[in-house]
Amino acid sequence: MITNKNTDGNSNSKNKTFRKKSPSTADLVQGILNGDIATLARAITLVESTNIAHFQKADDIINQCLPHSGKSIRIGITGVPGVGKSTFIETFGTHLTALGKKVAVLAVDPTSTISKGSILGDKTRMQELVKDRNAYIRPSPTGYSLGGVARKTRETIILCEAAGFDTILVETVGVGQSETAVHGMVDFFLLLKLAGAGDELQGIKRGIMEMADAIVINKADGKNIEQANLAKVEFSKALHLYPPKENGWTPKILSCSAIQKKGITEIWEVIKAYIDDKPGLDGILEKRKIQNKYWLLQTIEDRLKQQFYENKNIKNHLEQMIKLVVDGKISPFNAAEKLLRLSKEPNS
Amino acid sequence: MITNKNTDGNSNSKNKTFRKKSPSTADLVQGILNGDIATLARAITLVESTNIAHFQKADDIINQCLPHSGKSIRIGITGVPGVGKSTFIETFGTHLTALGKKVAVLAVDPTSTISKGSILGDKTRMQELVKDRNAYIRPSPTGYSLGGVARKTRETIILCEAAGFDTILVETVGVGQSETAVHGMVDFFLLLKLAGAGDELQGIKRGIMEMADAIVINKADGKNIEQANLAKVEFSKALHLYPPKENGWTPKILSCSAIQKKGITEIWEVIKAYIDDKPGLDGILEKRKIQNKYWLLQTIEDRLKQQFYENKNIKNHLEQMIKLVVDGKISPFNAAEKLLRLSKEPNS
């Protein structure tokens, strides 16, 4: 029963599993390349470990898996709570495995850092998929900031691809900047919505509609169908007013009923169209190169900031300096210079 | 003739002007508080100076002017080239001075760094305003990156306010991220557009429509009027689909003919409504506090990055590391760690 391991969101017990026996980097990489799920899960646990002793080994595994990664379509799925993400992934994922796809379902859920749970932790919402031998469900890593969660998920994508998964679904609950993080690691970004855009838009953060490669209006069933069709028209009009995508792709508006398994084929057709047509594929490869460079520079900047804000002098003076700036007592730029000088001085 | 000084975009001649005689910080601050334009211009030249010897004096002047600043409405004006920004500012600015306002017109134009010119350099486009004693026109500072231009413009706003200007217009040509920079330093952000949104939107960058507090369709005259009215309807529909603004303000859609001086009163009424109603004013003060904090943290981050990328080891190895990452030979995070270690080592 891999499902227990799969959906085990508790890092302690994960580390326990890991401590039982510590296989070599070569063993782990070989197991991953053989598509052994237990080894994959163990390697991901190592990658997610907050234990510094594991960092080097994790980096080695990732770098050795890199040449075998990338042969998948990475699909990001977002939407406000209540839109039915889990049911959609359950239906969409089983639809794909039925087509012979190997589907890995990951999550970027910064809240799981606090709740120690995860949006994928609740197995009962994906009963079909957790039992599916061609699906691997992994909850969001815990114990990290959004930046850390995003990094770990991105590394997990590499391991899953090396293990032979050809379709990666990355779910995000859309807290803070998590959609932006997920948008930055996937090829295709799918925004789930409900009919009645006007009211429902309150729930969306700025910029998300512009990120979407497809907007899918879920729960288009029963007496919602008419409203869903109206919403489709409304969104098409709205998207018409957005600037075109860099890669020339025109975002598509679809509707579905995840619970009644309706409209799922059409969604996959759209994603296939996105991948299949030559410019689309070039677009994906080009997009991934840009994403890789983005993550390099982003990580550098995150670490530089981290080092600065962890500096004792800064910890001691930042709040007071912010107050002076907010109250208009000192110019923001002058305050920045003062803090930068402080960060280079011995503790005060 | 202050106009020559006003619109002199050439920093060399500015520094010459400045070198003639070097008044004390106290003299400059007093002159500014007295509303003496020549002194204001000289102080701004000092603030814009790339000469390190002037930095401390400039900081002192800004910090001494800060308590006297902030008593103005700061209006950002953007739009693609050809939309008629200069004509609009000419008409709008003279309309405001006729109402007894003191109007300072500044610009954020990173291209002027290269061209050594400025979008406000072309005096012939603002013949009325340059002659207007209640208007002060200052071209974009040159010799700086966008970050530098934004910083200098923001500091110039403080000096202009201390000199008694109660309306600050900040024009941006919208190159790179300049709208975002201007949006981050003004109270009210006005997007100028032309009728025929569909085609014309090609020219707008993502996110700008969401920044706008008002969208004004310019050149609504002659046979354009009908098309302008259609565009108004189209934009109203589009804005209806955006998430509401944090401060509860609903962006307004207007049309005008700057050249025929039509619809200008209505635009000012909208901006007055934005300031006058209590939440609006609270919104402005709250917004400025957030902006001040934003500029402090942004400046710190810019400087941290600058220091890192100017490091000799980084200069020597960054490109090659980016290539490895882009080609998928090494993970972005692993590469970042390597570069961060390199930045702390002696030159190699």
Side-chain angles (χ1 to χ4, degrees), chain B residues 32-295:
Chain B
I32 291 168
L33 297 182
N34 294 343
D36 176 62
I37 299 299
T39 309
L40 173 64
R42 175 171 282 186
I44 294 172
T45 300
L46 184 65
V47 163
E48 291 177 347
S49 169
T50 49
N51 178 345
I52 294 155
H54 297 153
F55 290 178
Q56 187 54 54
K57 193 169 185 179
D59 279 344
D60 294 341
I61 293 169
I62 292 154
N63 284 328
Q64 288 177 45
C65 286
L66 263 174
H68 309 278
S69 71
K71 300 178 199 68
S72 84
I73 173 78
R74 304 167 182 171
I75 304 167
I77 298 168
T78 191
V80 295
V83 77
K85 283 192 294 296
S86 300
T87 313
F88 176 80
I89 289 170
E90 163 92 341
T91 304
F92 189 55
T94 45
H95 177 82
L96 293 176
T97 54
L99 293 172
K101 302 280 174 194
K102 288 197 71 185
V103 180
V105 182
L106 312 174
V108 171
D109 177 13
T111 60
S112 67
T113 310
I114 301 99
S115 67
K116 289 286 171 228
S118 159
I119 49 180
L120 289 178
D122 179 3
K123 279 172 269 179
T124 61
R125 298 183 304 166
M126 296 192 187
Q127 285 171 332
E128 287 301 313
L129 212 53
V130 289
K131 285 186 255 129
D132 192 326
R133 295 232 154 247
N134 287 315
Y136 175 61
I137 300 177
R138 182 81 183 193
S140 187
T142 59
Y144 289 98
S145 65
L146 171 59
V149 171
R151 165 184 176 159
K152 296 306 178 184
T153 304
R154 214 163 175 282
E155 292 173 332
T156 299
I157 290 174
I158 291 163
L159 300 189
C160 291
E161 288 175 343
F165 287 92
D166 52 28
T167 314
I168 314 286
L169 306 183
V170 185
E171 174 183 10
T172 179
V173 70
V175 172
Q177 290 302 306
S178 57
E179 295 100 344
T180 313
V182 170
H183 180 258
M185 67 176 80
V186 297
D187 307 318
F188 191 93
F189 196 64
L190 193 154
L191 172 61
L192 278 181
K193 298 189 54 55
L194 295 173
D199 338 320
E200 203 268 324
L201 263 164
Q202 310 288 337
I204 316 191
K205 289 201 301 304
R206 314 184 150 264
I208 294 180
M209 285 209 7
E210 291 192 356
M211 287 185 205
D213 295 302
I215 295 176
V216 176
I217 294 141
N218 191 22
K219 303 189 184 178
D221 42 41
K223 53 181 167 12
N224 289 337
I225 291 177
E226 196 182 325
Q227 209 181 9
N229 290 332
L230 287 172
K232 277 170 73 172
V233 176
E234 214 174 339
F235 280 116
S236 308
K237 279 193 191 145
L239 283 185
H240 162 72
L241 285 153
Y242 284 106
K245 296 244 173 196
E246 292 74 3
N247 63 1
W249 172 257
T250 310
K252 305 293 181 289
I253 316 281
L254 299 140
S255 63
C256 78
S257 168
I259 201 130
Q260 292 184 6
K261 301 183 165 49
K262 284 180 187 152
I264 305 300
T265 314
E266 292 73 6
I267 294 166
W268 179 237
E269 288 306 319
V270 162
I271 296 172
K272 282 222 315 261
Y274 182 85
I275 315 161
D276 291 349
D277 69 29
K278 196 84 187 70
L281 184 54
D282 285 351
I284 285 173
L285 299 178
E286 198 42 50
K287 199 169 175 180
R288 286 184 181 178
K289 288 182 176 197
I290 294 165
Q291 287 174 335
N292 282 339
K293 183 175 175 180
Y294 166 80
W295 285 97

Side-chain angles (χ1 to χ4, degrees), chain A residues 63 201 241 303 334 337, chain B residues 63 201 210 241 303 334 337:
Chain A
N63 284 327
L201 262 165
L241 284 153
R303 294 295 308 280
N334 195 205
E337 299 301 333
Chain B
N63 284 328
L201 263 164
E210 291 192 356
L241 285 153
R303 294 294 308 279
N334 195 205
E337 299 302 333

Side-chain angles (χ1 to χ4, degrees), chain A residues 315-329:
Chain A
K315 281 187 171 170
N316 293 339
H317 297 88
L318 184 63
E319 281 317 311
Q320 141 209 11
M321 202 64 91
I322 287 174
K323 194 178 182 322
L324 289 172
V325 164
V326 164
D327 297 345
K329 296 273 194 302

